[in-house]
Structure formats: C-alpha cells, structure tokens
Amino acid sequence: MTSAIRHTTFDSTDPYALAQFWSQVLGRPLHEDDHPGDPEALIEGAGLLFVTVPEDKKAKNRLHFDLQPQDRTRDEEVARVLALGATLLDDRRTDDGKGWVVLADPEGNEFCVERSAAERGN
C-alpha cells in the first residue's frame, strides 16, 4: 500500500483569516463549516488546511508554492495578490520578460508568481 497526501497544512495564528486570503488567491471556497475564530480552516478542492499554533513564523519556508496565473499575466497576478494582502519580498523579473516574483502571505509564508503559460508560449 502507498500513502496519499490528503492536506498541505499551514501553521497559523489566525487560520480563518489566512485561509480567506488563500481562498481568494486560488478562487476556491472555504469549507462550509469554517468560521472566524475556528481552530482550523480548509480550502475546498485545494487540500490546504490552516491550523492554529501559538507561535509566529520565525524562519524561511522549506517548502513553498510557485503559482502560475491561468487567465492573466504574471504582472497582473502579482498586482492582484498584492491587493489581497500579500507583501513583496523579492522581484526576480528580468528585462527579457522572464523571471518570477517572491511574495509573502499575510502571515509571512513565502510563495512565487511565475509567468503564465501564454507568456511562456506553451
């Protein structure tokens, strides 16, 4: 027998708020049973589970998401996600249009936004 990954779990000081941010980024709903103040929150169809821990994030993630926009350019997606509450950490875009942008979610978890498939010519 093998195992399957059921959830990717994020430690969080406010699971509901962080799950709301990622729900908006990914366009996926929160589980219908999740409410503000709950000790955990799940994003339906994405397998992302946010759970309460007492401590704040202290170090760089050892695992992060690389997002690829599906219906907009990388730069449009960066602007959209910043407006949702992300923070710019590092801009790795190059003059020839390649590269990516490193952002952090509201609790400091790093993630990247890459070029869309259309921008890559795929």
Side-chain angles (χ1 to χ4, degrees):
M1 302 279 309
T2 62
S3 292
I5 296 173
R6 182 169 178 219
H7 298 120
T8 300
T9 303
F10 286 78
D11 290 351
S12 175
T13 57
D14 187 345
Y16 187 81
L18 192 57
Q20 278 190 314
F21 168 83
W22 281 102
S23 172
Q24 292 176 45
V25 169
L26 300 173
R28 301 254 183 198
L30 292 178
H31 190 277
E32 64 185 25
D33 293 336
D34 292 333
H35 304 286
D38 286 352
E40 63 183 47
L42 176 68
I43 297 179
E44 294 281 359
L48 301 182
L49 178 65
F50 300 84
V51 299
T52 303
V53 296
E55 67 277 351
D56 290 332
K57 180 179 176 296
K58 294 184 177 26
K60 183 179 182 297
N61 296 12
R62 298 214 29 162
L63 173 74
H64 71 267
F65 294 128
D66 290 337
L67 303 180
Q68 184 180 51
Q70 300 299 297
D71 60 354
R72 60 185 55 96
T73 68
R74 173 199 55 213
D75 297 348
E76 291 168 336
E77 183 67 349
V78 168
R80 183 182 80 86
V81 175
L82 286 170
L84 293 173
T87 303
L88 177 66
L89 296 181
D90 192 12
D91 192 334
R92 300 274 181 103
R93 291 176 278 198
T94 60
D95 291 338
D96 64 0
K98 296 179 181 175
W100 62 93
V101 178
V102 182
L103 302 170
D105 71 18
E107 289 202 15
N109 299 298
E110 300 91 1
F111 63 99
C112 297
V113 179
E114 300 179 347
R115 294 180 298 158
S116 66
E119 290 173 295
R120 292 174 183 266
N122 299 4

